[in-house]
Amino acid sequence: MTEPTTTCISCGMPLRSAEDHAKGDTSRPYCHHCAREDGSMKSYDEVLQGMTAFLANAQGLDQAVARTAAKGMMASLPAWAPARAQA
Amino acid sequence: MPTSRAQKKEMTRQRILDAALAQCADRGFVGLRTAEVARATGVSHGAVFSHFPTREELVDVTVATVGRAISDRLHAELRGAAGLREILTAHLAAIREHEEHYRWLAIEWPNLPPQVQRAWLGIQSAISYHLHAAAERARARGEIREVPQHLLFNTWIALVHHYLIHRELFAPGRSVLDERGAELIDHFLYLLSTAPTRASDPGSN
Ligand SMILES: [Zn+2]
């Protein structure tokens, strides 16, 4: 059986071990991709940009398609759900 | 063992969902028939709608259940997989577990709800990410040629999906991954390999 894993509140990536967390700190509910150098969480626009690039590079998607998909994914994640669902 | 009303209700909901999953494995998600789900569950047609207010909602929950199962399985399979061959094998093992449903997702993707399409893109990107990381390591050792990340992934997924979608041509009524999966992995690794001739095991990396 698959053991339950928590996921990054900002991008949804599974957080399986300490090194997946920002600064390797398991008390931070977001991943190292979603953290700035100092460990604080990136802004909505920074994460959107990163996620768009991630999707576009991974599958060769059209930029607008990747951006729309990234927005949709972020709208269902706890860090962004209430505030920016309309963005 | 006495069961509460709430437990009974939950059990019925689960049985409806199981019947929907079974039907979707056979005929896909888009054309799900609620009357047949009711018959298979042994409840009235109306009872289905008391648990899932609309047909669309039942389709959404069914698809989400499958998506989560595939994604969980994939992450479990990928854990510890480092080499290219290991990752390709883990990928096919995760799909194999849900081959019928996965096949329908690949066929019906354009007609599925947006949140399902996004979940699918998310899963595919995660696979591409792992594949690319393993390819970079193999390339650093000079074992494979350089291929852009999206083409590495798209070439692999095109091969796998072609065999899945056209399963009736390759393994009618059977698992095409069981019968052809190993051949596809060997072939893909051979295309990437820098070795001048077909190596017996290009993916020992
Ligand atoms: Zn994240």
Side-chain angles (χ1 to χ4, degrees):
Chain A
M1 283 287 95
T2 319
E3 59 226 69
T5 46
T6 55
T7 55
C8 171
I9 60 164
S10 161
C11 75
M13 183 183 104
L15 299 170
R16 276 182 239 104
S17 58
E19 69 241 38
D20 288 338
H21 289 261
K23 294 250 161 188
D25 173 1
T26 54
S27 71
R28 298 181 202 254
Y30 46 93
C31 78
H32 57 95
H33 300 292
C34 294
R36 299 197 181 105
E37 292 268 305
D38 66 0
S40 64
M41 200 172 81
K42 288 179 180 173
S43 71
Y44 177 88
D45 288 325
E46 287 169 312
V47 174
L48 175 60
Q49 205 173 37
M51 224 160 151
T52 301
F54 176 74
L55 292 171
N57 294 339
Q59 297 175 73
L61 302 181
D62 172 85
Q63 282 295 327
V65 170
R67 192 176 160 86
T68 303
K71 277 186 184 177
M73 289 171 184
M74 288 173 74
S76 65
L77 289 160
W80 318 110
R84 298 296 292 267
Q86 80 291 347
Chain B
M1 192 72 87
T3 43
S4 71
R5 228 182 141 75
Q7 278 174 312
K8 262 187 193 144
K9 198 174 170 207
E10 180 49 38
M11 277 163 59
T12 306
R13 186 181 188 277
Q14 188 57 48
R15 286 198 298 124
I16 293 169
L17 189 54
D18 289 343
L21 282 164
Q23 194 195 115
C24 293
D26 282 344
R27 287 204 308 264
F29 298 91
V30 169
L32 182 70
R33 294 175 204 164
T34 52
E36 270 181 45
V37 169
R39 214 172 306 131
T41 314
V43 300
S44 70
H45 200 183
V48 171
F49 291 102
S50 79
H51 289 272
F52 301 92
T54 62
R55 197 191 76 92
E56 286 66 34
E57 185 155 333
L58 180 56
V59 172
D60 285 358
V61 174
T62 306
V63 141
T65 303
V66 169
R68 210 174 314 118
I70 293 173
S71 164
D72 286 352
R73 183 65 207 245
L74 187 72
H75 284 117
E77 288 282 345
L78 284 174
R79 195 169 313 176
L84 263 179
R85 179 179 291 276
E86 280 182 299
I87 286 169
L88 299 174
T89 304
H91 184 206
L92 293 192
I95 298 176
R96 174 64 187 98
E97 183 89 354
H98 308 276
E99 186 170 330
E100 300 299 322
H101 288 117
Y102 184 95
R103 178 172 177 266
W104 282 113
L105 290 176
I107 292 170
E108 298 182 330
W109 188 85
N111 299 316
L112 293 170
Q115 73 276 14
V116 175
Q117 296 187 343
R118 283 196 295 271
W120 173 265
L121 286 181
I123 291 172
Q124 305 298 26
S125 292
I127 296 158
S128 173
Y129 174 82
H130 288 286
L131 203 54
H132 175 64
E136 285 293 288
R137 291 190 290 269
R139 194 173 64 81
R141 293 191 298 265
E143 293 163 356
I144 63 163
R145 65 187 80 246
E146 183 169 12
V147 178
Q149 182 183 354
H150 65 285
L151 287 172
L152 178 78
F153 174 74
N154 286 348
T155 304
W156 166 245
I157 207 75
L159 192 60
V160 172
H161 284 182
H162 175 74
Y163 276 79
L164 280 172
I165 291 170
H166 301 285
R167 181 191 62 189
E168 295 312 303
L169 299 177
F170 303 111
R174 307 187 301 273
S175 163
V176 74
L177 293 182
D178 278 351
E179 296 190 16
R180 303 296 182 93
E183 183 188 23
L184 300 186
I185 291 172
D186 283 344
H187 174 65
F188 184 69
L189 291 172
Y190 169 65
L191 291 180
L192 291 174
S193 173
T194 51
T197 53
R198 183 179 277 271
S200 57
D201 183 13
S204 52
N205 41 70

